[in-house]
Amino acid sequence: MSEVPDPVFAQSMVGPGVAVLPAGGRQDALSPVDGTVVTLHPHAFVVATEGGQGVLVHLGIDTVKQKGEGFTLHVVKGESVRAGQPLISWDPDAVAAAGYSPVVPVVALDADAAALSGVLTGGTVDAGEQLFAWD
C-alpha cells in the first residue's frame, strides 16, 4: 500500500490493505467478501460483512475524474453479494491510457493493521484469491 500513488491510500489513512496492479484488458472487479454493498460508485465500492467490517475496493487512482466512463455496474447499493461475485466491469488499460494509475487498493476500512493477517505481498494474484484475513 505504501507504493500507491495517492497519500490517502499510501499512508493507510482509511485503513490497511493490499494494492493490486491488475492485468490489462477488460475485466470484472469481484466482491472481496460476503456482505452488503453499502457504497457504490462506478470506480469504487464498499462491501460490509454481517459483522460490520467494511472492505473498500477502489478501481484505479483518481478515476473518479472519469465520471463513470468505461465502468459498468452489475449491482446496486444495498444488494447482498457473495465473495467472488462480479460487481463492476472495467478496463485497467483504458484507465492508464486516460492518464490515471490502474492500481487497485483493497482496504480494510478503519481497521488496525495488526488486525490483518495473511496479507499478500508481491507476486501474482488470481481472481478470487484471498488478499488478507481480518481477525
mmCIF file of all heavy atoms in Angstrom, residues 50-96:
data_model
loop_
_atom_site.group_PDB
_atom_site.id
_atom_site.type_symbol
_atom_site.label_atom_id
_atom_site.label_comp_id
_atom_site.label_asym_id
_atom_site.label_seq_id
_atom_site.Cartn_x
_atom_site.Cartn_y
_atom_site.Cartn_z
ATOM 1 N N GLU A 50 -21.556 -9.158 7.607
ATOM 2 C CA GLU A 50 -22.583 -9.201 8.651
ATOM 3 C C GLU A 50 -22.050 -8.661 9.969
ATOM 4 O O GLU A 50 -22.786 -8.089 10.757
ATOM 5 C CB GLU A 50 -23.093 -10.631 8.850
ATOM 6 C CG GLU A 50 -24.108 -11.060 7.828
ATOM 7 C CD GLU A 50 -24.743 -12.393 8.191
ATOM 8 O OE1 GLU A 50 -24.777 -12.766 9.380
ATOM 9 O OE2 GLU A 50 -25.213 -13.063 7.256
ATOM 10 N N GLY A 51 -20.750 -8.829 10.206
ATOM 11 C CA GLY A 51 -20.128 -8.349 11.434
ATOM 12 C C GLY A 51 -19.787 -6.869 11.407
ATOM 13 O O GLY A 51 -19.240 -6.337 12.370
ATOM 14 N N GLY A 52 -20.075 -6.197 10.284
ATOM 15 C CA GLY A 52 -19.855 -4.763 10.190
ATOM 16 C C GLY A 52 -18.497 -4.341 9.659
ATOM 17 O O GLY A 52 -18.190 -3.157 9.613
ATOM 18 N N GLN A 53 -17.670 -5.297 9.248
ATOM 19 C CA GLN A 53 -16.371 -4.946 8.678
ATOM 20 C C GLN A 53 -16.560 -4.522 7.229
ATOM 21 O O GLN A 53 -17.132 -5.263 6.430
ATOM 22 C CB GLN A 53 -15.411 -6.134 8.759
ATOM 23 C CG GLN A 53 -15.088 -6.537 10.176
ATOM 24 C CD GLN A 53 -14.354 -7.857 10.245
ATOM 25 O OE1 GLN A 53 -14.684 -8.793 9.538
ATOM 26 N NE2 GLN A 53 -13.358 -7.933 11.120
ATOM 27 N N GLY A 54 -16.094 -3.319 6.894
ATOM 28 C CA GLY A 54 -16.230 -2.799 5.546
ATOM 29 C C GLY A 54 -14.938 -2.914 4.762
ATOM 30 O O GLY A 54 -13.866 -2.555 5.257
ATOM 31 N N VAL A 55 -15.043 -3.419 3.524
ATOM 32 C CA VAL A 55 -13.882 -3.536 2.658
ATOM 33 C C VAL A 55 -14.107 -2.644 1.443
ATOM 34 O O VAL A 55 -15.096 -2.788 0.727
ATOM 35 C CB VAL A 55 -13.636 -4.993 2.217
ATOM 36 C CG1 VAL A 55 -12.413 -5.072 1.309
ATOM 37 C CG2 VAL A 55 -13.464 -5.898 3.432
ATOM 38 N N LEU A 56 -13.189 -1.705 1.249
ATOM 39 C CA LEU A 56 -13.227 -0.777 0.120
ATOM 40 C C LEU A 56 -12.369 -1.321 -1.016
ATOM 41 O O LEU A 56 -11.237 -1.742 -0.787
ATOM 42 C CB LEU A 56 -12.671 0.592 0.549
ATOM 43 C CG LEU A 56 -12.313 1.575 -0.566
ATOM 44 C CD1 LEU A 56 -13.550 2.056 -1.312
ATOM 45 C CD2 LEU A 56 -11.543 2.766 0.009
ATOM 46 N N VAL A 57 -12.923 -1.305 -2.223
ATOM 47 C CA VAL A 57 -12.170 -1.635 -3.428
ATOM 48 C C VAL A 57 -12.242 -0.407 -4.324
ATOM 49 O O VAL A 57 -13.327 0.023 -4.701
ATOM 50 C CB VAL A 57 -12.743 -2.876 -4.143
ATOM 51 C CG1 VAL A 57 -11.982 -3.150 -5.438
ATOM 52 C CG2 VAL A 57 -12.713 -4.092 -3.218
ATOM 53 N N HIS A 58 -11.084 0.186 -4.615
ATOM 54 C CA HIS A 58 -11.017 1.418 -5.411
ATOM 55 C C HIS A 58 -10.321 1.108 -6.728
ATOM 56 O O HIS A 58 -9.135 0.800 -6.751
ATOM 57 C CB HIS A 58 -10.260 2.500 -4.642
ATOM 58 C CG HIS A 58 -10.562 3.878 -5.101
ATOM 59 N ND1 HIS A 58 -10.054 4.406 -6.278
ATOM 60 C CD2 HIS A 58 -11.346 4.832 -4.564
ATOM 61 C CE1 HIS A 58 -10.506 5.632 -6.425
ATOM 62 N NE2 HIS A 58 -11.295 5.910 -5.402
ATOM 63 N N LEU A 59 -11.047 1.186 -7.831
ATOM 64 C CA LEU A 59 -10.535 0.800 -9.143
ATOM 65 C C LEU A 59 -9.736 1.931 -9.770
ATOM 66 O O LEU A 59 -10.278 2.814 -10.430
ATOM 67 C CB LEU A 59 -11.690 0.389 -10.058
ATOM 68 C CG LEU A 59 -12.587 -0.718 -9.480
ATOM 69 C CD1 LEU A 59 -13.772 -0.977 -10.391
ATOM 70 C CD2 LEU A 59 -11.787 -1.982 -9.237
ATOM 71 N N GLY A 60 -8.438 1.904 -9.536
ATOM 72 C CA GLY A 60 -7.558 2.946 -10.055
ATOM 73 C C GLY A 60 -7.493 4.149 -9.131
ATOM 74 O O GLY A 60 -8.248 4.268 -8.176
ATOM 75 N N ILE A 61 -6.557 5.027 -9.436
ATOM 76 C CA ILE A 61 -6.346 6.238 -8.643
ATOM 77 C C ILE A 61 -6.811 7.446 -9.455
ATOM 78 O O ILE A 61 -6.479 7.572 -10.637
ATOM 79 C CB ILE A 61 -4.850 6.388 -8.267
ATOM 80 C CG1 ILE A 61 -4.375 5.144 -7.499
ATOM 81 C CG2 ILE A 61 -4.612 7.661 -7.474
ATOM 82 C CD1 ILE A 61 -5.122 4.845 -6.214
ATOM 83 N N ASP A 62 -7.591 8.300 -8.815
ATOM 84 C CA ASP A 62 -8.170 9.492 -9.447
ATOM 85 C C ASP A 62 -9.173 9.148 -10.544
ATOM 86 O O ASP A 62 -9.530 10.007 -11.358
ATOM 87 C CB ASP A 62 -7.090 10.433 -9.999
ATOM 88 C CG ASP A 62 -6.279 11.086 -8.889
ATOM 89 O OD1 ASP A 62 -6.841 11.309 -7.794
ATOM 90 O OD2 ASP A 62 -5.088 11.360 -9.115
ATOM 91 N N THR A 63 -9.657 7.921 -10.568
ATOM 92 C CA THR A 63 -10.597 7.501 -11.598
ATOM 93 C C THR A 63 -11.980 8.117 -11.417
ATOM 94 O O THR A 63 -12.801 8.053 -12.329
ATOM 95 C CB THR A 63 -10.701 5.968 -11.652
ATOM 96 O OG1 THR A 63 -10.846 5.466 -10.316
ATOM 97 C CG2 THR A 63 -9.460 5.365 -12.291
ATOM 98 N N VAL A 64 -12.232 8.742 -10.279
ATOM 99 C CA VAL A 64 -13.483 9.494 -10.111
ATOM 100 C C VAL A 64 -13.591 10.559 -11.204
ATOM 101 O O VAL A 64 -14.686 10.908 -11.645
ATOM 102 C CB VAL A 64 -13.580 10.115 -8.698
ATOM 103 C CG1 VAL A 64 -12.519 11.181 -8.489
ATOM 104 C CG2 VAL A 64 -14.972 10.699 -8.457
ATOM 105 N N LYS A 65 -12.447 11.050 -11.676
ATOM 106 C CA LYS A 65 -12.426 12.084 -12.720
ATOM 107 C C LYS A 65 -12.930 11.553 -14.061
ATOM 108 O O LYS A 65 -13.241 12.336 -14.958
ATOM 109 C CB LYS A 65 -11.012 12.644 -12.877
ATOM 110 C CG LYS A 65 -10.520 13.373 -11.632
ATOM 111 C CD LYS A 65 -9.081 13.806 -11.770
ATOM 112 C CE LYS A 65 -8.577 14.443 -10.488
ATOM 113 N NZ LYS A 65 -7.144 14.747 -10.568
ATOM 114 N N GLN A 66 -13.035 10.238 -14.204
ATOM 115 C CA GLN A 66 -13.553 9.659 -15.447
ATOM 116 C C GLN A 66 -15.085 9.687 -15.490
ATOM 117 O O GLN A 66 -15.685 9.347 -16.498
ATOM 118 C CB GLN A 66 -13.035 8.237 -15.632
ATOM 119 C CG GLN A 66 -11.547 8.207 -15.909
ATOM 120 C CD GLN A 66 -11.067 6.814 -16.249
ATOM 121 O OE1 GLN A 66 -10.748 6.034 -15.366
ATOM 122 N NE2 GLN A 66 -11.022 6.524 -17.540
ATOM 123 N N LYS A 67 -15.696 10.073 -14.371
ATOM 124 C CA LYS A 67 -17.150 10.242 -14.278
ATOM 125 C C LYS A 67 -17.913 9.015 -14.770
ATOM 126 O O LYS A 67 -18.924 9.127 -15.452
ATOM 127 C CB LYS A 67 -17.591 11.504 -15.017
ATOM 128 C CG LYS A 67 -16.949 12.755 -14.441
ATOM 129 C CD LYS A 67 -17.358 13.995 -15.174
ATOM 130 C CE LYS A 67 -16.647 15.186 -14.531
ATOM 131 N NZ LYS A 67 -16.858 16.409 -15.247
ATOM 132 N N GLY A 68 -17.410 7.840 -14.438
ATOM 133 C CA GLY A 68 -18.091 6.598 -14.767
ATOM 134 C C GLY A 68 -17.792 6.043 -16.143
ATOM 135 O O GLY A 68 -18.174 4.908 -16.447
ATOM 136 N N GLU A 69 -17.101 6.794 -16.975
ATOM 137 C CA GLU A 69 -16.812 6.324 -18.334
ATOM 138 C C GLU A 69 -15.925 5.086 -18.303
ATOM 139 O O GLU A 69 -14.867 5.072 -17.689
ATOM 140 C CB GLU A 69 -16.142 7.422 -19.143
ATOM 141 C CG GLU A 69 -15.952 7.056 -20.598
ATOM 142 C CD GLU A 69 -15.386 8.190 -21.432
ATOM 143 O OE1 GLU A 69 -15.684 9.359 -21.144
ATOM 144 O OE2 GLU A 69 -14.623 7.880 -22.361
ATOM 145 N N GLY A 70 -16.382 4.028 -18.952
ATOM 146 C CA GLY A 70 -15.614 2.788 -19.025
ATOM 147 C C GLY A 70 -15.885 1.808 -17.899
ATOM 148 O O GLY A 70 -15.312 0.723 -17.867
ATOM 149 N N PHE A 71 -16.762 2.163 -16.965
ATOM 150 C CA PHE A 71 -17.102 1.293 -15.845
ATOM 151 C C PHE A 71 -18.552 0.840 -15.989
ATOM 152 O O PHE A 71 -19.423 1.652 -16.296
ATOM 153 C CB PHE A 71 -16.931 2.033 -14.511
ATOM 154 C CG PHE A 71 -15.527 2.471 -14.236
ATOM 155 C CD1 PHE A 71 -15.049 3.686 -14.718
ATOM 156 C CD2 PHE A 71 -14.669 1.676 -13.492
ATOM 157 C CE1 PHE A 71 -13.749 4.105 -14.467
ATOM 158 C CE2 PHE A 71 -13.358 2.087 -13.239
ATOM 159 C CZ PHE A 71 -12.906 3.296 -13.721
ATOM 160 N N THR A 72 -18.822 -0.442 -15.766
ATOM 161 C CA THR A 72 -20.177 -0.979 -15.864
ATOM 162 C C THR A 72 -20.553 -1.624 -14.536
ATOM 163 O O THR A 72 -19.903 -2.590 -14.105
ATOM 164 C CB THR A 72 -20.270 -2.036 -16.987
ATOM 165 O OG1 THR A 72 -19.830 -1.450 -18.216
ATOM 166 C CG2 THR A 72 -21.696 -2.537 -17.144
ATOM 167 N N LEU A 73 -21.582 -1.100 -13.882
ATOM 168 C CA LEU A 73 -22.037 -1.643 -12.602
ATOM 169 C C LEU A 73 -22.921 -2.864 -12.823
ATOM 170 O O LEU A 73 -23.773 -2.865 -13.716
ATOM 171 C CB LEU A 73 -22.821 -0.582 -11.828
ATOM 172 C CG LEU A 73 -22.086 0.726 -11.529
ATOM 173 C CD1 LEU A 73 -23.021 1.709 -10.850
ATOM 174 C CD2 LEU A 73 -20.871 0.466 -10.671
ATOM 175 N N HIS A 74 -22.735 -3.891 -11.985
ATOM 176 C CA HIS A 74 -23.544 -5.101 -12.071
ATOM 177 C C HIS A 74 -24.420 -5.306 -10.846
ATOM 178 O O HIS A 74 -25.156 -6.296 -10.767
ATOM 179 C CB HIS A 74 -22.645 -6.330 -12.253
ATOM 180 C CG HIS A 74 -21.795 -6.263 -13.478
ATOM 181 N ND1 HIS A 74 -22.315 -6.240 -14.757
ATOM 182 C CD2 HIS A 74 -20.454 -6.189 -13.619
ATOM 183 C CE1 HIS A 74 -21.337 -6.167 -15.630
ATOM 184 N NE2 HIS A 74 -20.191 -6.129 -14.966
ATOM 185 N N VAL A 75 -24.330 -4.401 -9.878
ATOM 186 C CA VAL A 75 -25.109 -4.489 -8.641
ATOM 187 C C VAL A 75 -25.630 -3.096 -8.290
ATOM 188 O O VAL A 75 -25.233 -2.113 -8.916
ATOM 189 C CB VAL A 75 -24.266 -5.032 -7.464
ATOM 190 C CG1 VAL A 75 -23.866 -6.479 -7.708
ATOM 191 C CG2 VAL A 75 -23.044 -4.172 -7.212
ATOM 192 N N VAL A 76 -26.479 -3.045 -7.279
ATOM 193 C CA VAL A 76 -26.980 -1.770 -6.771
ATOM 194 C C VAL A 76 -26.644 -1.664 -5.286
ATOM 195 O O VAL A 76 -26.418 -2.672 -4.611
ATOM 196 C CB VAL A 76 -28.506 -1.621 -6.979
ATOM 197 C CG1 VAL A 76 -28.851 -1.587 -8.464
ATOM 198 C CG2 VAL A 76 -29.268 -2.727 -6.274
ATOM 199 N N LYS A 77 -26.608 -0.447 -4.809
ATOM 200 C CA LYS A 77 -26.367 -0.218 -3.384
ATOM 201 C C LYS A 77 -27.453 -0.923 -2.589
ATOM 202 O O LYS A 77 -28.620 -0.895 -2.943
ATOM 203 C CB LYS A 77 -26.378 1.292 -3.104
ATOM 204 C CG LYS A 77 -26.036 1.646 -1.679
ATOM 205 C CD LYS A 77 -25.990 3.147 -1.496
ATOM 206 C CE LYS A 77 -25.751 3.505 -0.049
ATOM 207 N NZ LYS A 77 -25.746 4.964 0.145
ATOM 208 N N GLY A 78 -27.043 -1.592 -1.516
ATOM 209 C CA GLY A 78 -27.978 -2.321 -0.666
ATOM 210 C C GLY A 78 -28.129 -3.785 -1.036
ATOM 211 O O GLY A 78 -28.739 -4.556 -0.299
ATOM 212 N N GLU A 79 -27.546 -4.187 -2.157
ATOM 213 C CA GLU A 79 -27.659 -5.569 -2.613
ATOM 214 C C GLU A 79 -26.749 -6.482 -1.796
ATOM 215 O O GLU A 79 -25.623 -6.124 -1.461
ATOM 216 C CB GLU A 79 -27.285 -5.643 -4.093
ATOM 217 C CG GLU A 79 -27.521 -6.997 -4.728
ATOM 218 C CD GLU A 79 -27.357 -6.989 -6.244
ATOM 219 O OE1 GLU A 79 -27.538 -5.924 -6.882
ATOM 220 O OE2 GLU A 79 -27.038 -8.057 -6.784
ATOM 221 N N SER A 80 -27.243 -7.676 -1.498
ATOM 222 C CA SER A 80 -26.417 -8.697 -0.855
ATOM 223 C C SER A 80 -25.570 -9.368 -1.924
ATOM 224 O O SER A 80 -26.077 -9.694 -2.999
ATOM 225 C CB SER A 80 -27.290 -9.749 -0.171
ATOM 226 O OG SER A 80 -27.953 -9.182 0.933
ATOM 227 N N VAL A 81 -24.290 -9.575 -1.622
ATOM 228 C CA VAL A 81 -23.366 -10.175 -2.580
ATOM 229 C C VAL A 81 -22.552 -11.267 -1.909
ATOM 230 O O VAL A 81 -22.448 -11.317 -0.685
ATOM 231 C CB VAL A 81 -22.427 -9.104 -3.201
ATOM 232 C CG1 VAL A 81 -23.229 -8.093 -4.019
ATOM 233 C CG2 VAL A 81 -21.602 -8.403 -2.140
ATOM 234 N N ARG A 82 -21.967 -12.125 -2.745
ATOM 235 C CA ARG A 82 -21.114 -13.203 -2.274
ATOM 236 C C ARG A 82 -19.675 -12.914 -2.682
ATOM 237 O O ARG A 82 -19.432 -12.286 -3.716
ATOM 238 C CB ARG A 82 -21.536 -14.540 -2.893
ATOM 239 C CG ARG A 82 -22.986 -14.926 -2.680
ATOM 240 C CD ARG A 82 -23.336 -15.332 -1.301
ATOM 241 N NE ARG A 82 -22.622 -16.529 -0.884
ATOM 242 C CZ ARG A 82 -22.600 -16.978 0.356
ATOM 243 N NH1 ARG A 82 -23.239 -16.333 1.295
ATOM 244 N NH2 ARG A 82 -21.924 -18.045 0.671
ATOM 245 N N ALA A 83 -18.722 -13.364 -1.911
ATOM 246 C CA ALA A 83 -17.313 -13.212 -2.273
ATOM 247 C C ALA A 83 -17.088 -13.818 -3.649
ATOM 248 O O ALA A 83 -17.586 -14.902 -3.942
ATOM 249 C CB ALA A 83 -16.420 -13.904 -1.245
ATOM 250 N N GLY A 84 -16.393 -13.090 -4.516
ATOM 251 C CA GLY A 84 -16.110 -13.558 -5.860
ATOM 252 C C GLY A 84 -17.135 -13.135 -6.894
ATOM 253 O O GLY A 84 -16.942 -13.343 -8.086
ATOM 254 N N GLN A 85 -18.236 -12.526 -6.456
ATOM 255 C CA GLN A 85 -19.273 -12.075 -7.389
ATOM 256 C C GLN A 85 -18.798 -10.834 -8.137
ATOM 257 O O GLN A 85 -18.294 -9.899 -7.528
ATOM 258 C CB GLN A 85 -20.554 -11.758 -6.612
ATOM 259 C CG GLN A 85 -21.695 -11.270 -7.473
ATOM 260 C CD GLN A 85 -22.963 -11.025 -6.658
ATOM 261 O OE1 GLN A 85 -23.145 -11.582 -5.569
ATOM 262 N NE2 GLN A 85 -23.836 -10.194 -7.184
ATOM 263 N N PRO A 86 -18.957 -10.789 -9.467
ATOM 264 C CA PRO A 86 -18.583 -9.589 -10.230
ATOM 265 C C PRO A 86 -19.475 -8.405 -9.846
ATOM 266 O O PRO A 86 -20.701 -8.526 -9.865
ATOM 267 C CB PRO A 86 -18.815 -9.989 -11.684
ATOM 268 C CG PRO A 86 -18.825 -11.483 -11.693
ATOM 269 C CD PRO A 86 -19.382 -11.889 -10.349
ATOM 270 N N LEU A 87 -18.857 -7.287 -9.478
ATOM 271 C CA LEU A 87 -19.612 -6.096 -9.095
ATOM 272 C C LEU A 87 -19.502 -4.988 -10.130
ATOM 273 O O LEU A 87 -20.469 -4.270 -10.387
ATOM 274 C CB LEU A 87 -19.163 -5.581 -7.727
ATOM 275 C CG LEU A 87 -19.247 -6.564 -6.559
ATOM 276 C CD1 LEU A 87 -18.958 -5.838 -5.254
ATOM 277 C CD2 LEU A 87 -20.580 -7.272 -6.502
ATOM 278 N N ILE A 88 -18.308 -4.810 -10.696
ATOM 279 C CA ILE A 88 -18.075 -3.757 -11.688
ATOM 280 C C ILE A 88 -17.138 -4.296 -12.769
ATOM 281 O O ILE A 88 -16.131 -4.922 -12.450
ATOM 282 C CB ILE A 88 -17.434 -2.499 -11.045
ATOM 283 C CG1 ILE A 88 -18.331 -1.926 -9.956
ATOM 284 C CG2 ILE A 88 -17.132 -1.440 -12.113
ATOM 285 C CD1 ILE A 88 -17.697 -0.769 -9.165
ATOM 286 N N SER A 89 -17.465 -4.038 -14.030
ATOM 287 C CA SER A 89 -16.544 -4.338 -15.132
ATOM 288 C C SER A 89 -15.806 -3.055 -15.488
ATOM 289 O O SER A 89 -16.398 -1.967 -15.460
ATOM 290 C CB SER A 89 -17.310 -4.842 -16.364
ATOM 291 O OG SER A 89 -17.912 -6.078 -16.108
ATOM 292 N N TRP A 90 -14.519 -3.201 -15.833
ATOM 293 C CA TRP A 90 -13.706 -2.037 -16.178
ATOM 294 C C TRP A 90 -12.494 -2.492 -16.973
ATOM 295 O O TRP A 90 -12.239 -3.686 -17.090
ATOM 296 C CB TRP A 90 -13.318 -1.268 -14.930
ATOM 297 C CG TRP A 90 -12.296 -1.961 -14.051
ATOM 298 C CD1 TRP A 90 -12.375 -3.213 -13.502
ATOM 299 C CD2 TRP A 90 -11.039 -1.445 -13.635
ATOM 300 N NE1 TRP A 90 -11.250 -3.482 -12.754
ATOM 301 C CE2 TRP A 90 -10.410 -2.416 -12.820
ATOM 302 C CE3 TRP A 90 -10.378 -0.247 -13.855
ATOM 303 C CZ2 TRP A 90 -9.164 -2.227 -12.245
ATOM 304 C CZ3 TRP A 90 -9.131 -0.061 -13.270
ATOM 305 C CH2 TRP A 90 -8.539 -1.043 -12.477
ATOM 306 N N ASP A 91 -11.745 -1.538 -17.493
ATOM 307 C CA ASP A 91 -10.566 -1.847 -18.294
ATOM 308 C C ASP A 91 -9.369 -1.060 -17.765
ATOM 309 O O ASP A 91 -9.252 0.139 -18.008
ATOM 310 C CB ASP A 91 -10.818 -1.495 -19.760
ATOM 311 C CG ASP A 91 -9.676 -1.923 -20.663
ATOM 312 O OD1 ASP A 91 -8.568 -2.203 -20.164
ATOM 313 O OD2 ASP A 91 -9.892 -1.963 -21.882
ATOM 314 N N PRO A 92 -8.471 -1.717 -17.026
ATOM 315 C CA PRO A 92 -7.299 -1.023 -16.490
ATOM 316 C C PRO A 92 -6.440 -0.360 -17.568
ATOM 317 O O PRO A 92 -5.837 0.677 -17.331
ATOM 318 C CB PRO A 92 -6.528 -2.130 -15.773
ATOM 319 C CG PRO A 92 -7.549 -3.161 -15.454
ATOM 320 C CD PRO A 92 -8.529 -3.112 -16.579
ATOM 321 N N ASP A 93 -6.380 -0.967 -18.767
ATOM 322 C CA ASP A 93 -5.614 -0.355 -19.858
ATOM 323 C C ASP A 93 -6.215 0.986 -20.260
ATOM 324 O O ASP A 93 -5.490 1.947 -20.538
ATOM 325 C CB ASP A 93 -5.560 -1.278 -21.080
ATOM 326 C CG ASP A 93 -4.678 -2.496 -20.851
ATOM 327 O OD1 ASP A 93 -3.803 -2.455 -19.961
ATOM 328 O OD2 ASP A 93 -4.881 -3.495 -21.568
ATOM 329 N N ALA A 94 -7.539 1.068 -20.306
ATOM 330 C CA ALA A 94 -8.212 2.325 -20.653
ATOM 331 C C ALA A 94 -7.980 3.379 -19.573
ATOM 332 O O ALA A 94 -7.814 4.561 -19.874
ATOM 333 C CB ALA A 94 -9.707 2.092 -20.860
ATOM 334 N N VAL A 95 -7.939 2.944 -18.320
ATOM 335 C CA VAL A 95 -7.645 3.862 -17.213
ATOM 336 C C VAL A 95 -6.244 4.439 -17.381
ATOM 337 O O VAL A 95 -6.031 5.648 -17.280
ATOM 338 C CB VAL A 95 -7.804 3.144 -15.849
ATOM 339 C CG1 VAL A 95 -7.183 3.953 -14.724
ATOM 340 C CG2 VAL A 95 -9.284 2.878 -15.576
ATOM 341 N N ALA A 96 -5.282 3.575 -17.679
ATOM 342 C CA ALA A 96 -3.899 4.027 -17.879
ATOM 343 C C ALA A 96 -3.804 4.941 -19.097
ATOM 344 O O ALA A 96 -3.107 5.969 -19.060
ATOM 345 C CB ALA A 96 -2.968 2.831 -18.033
#
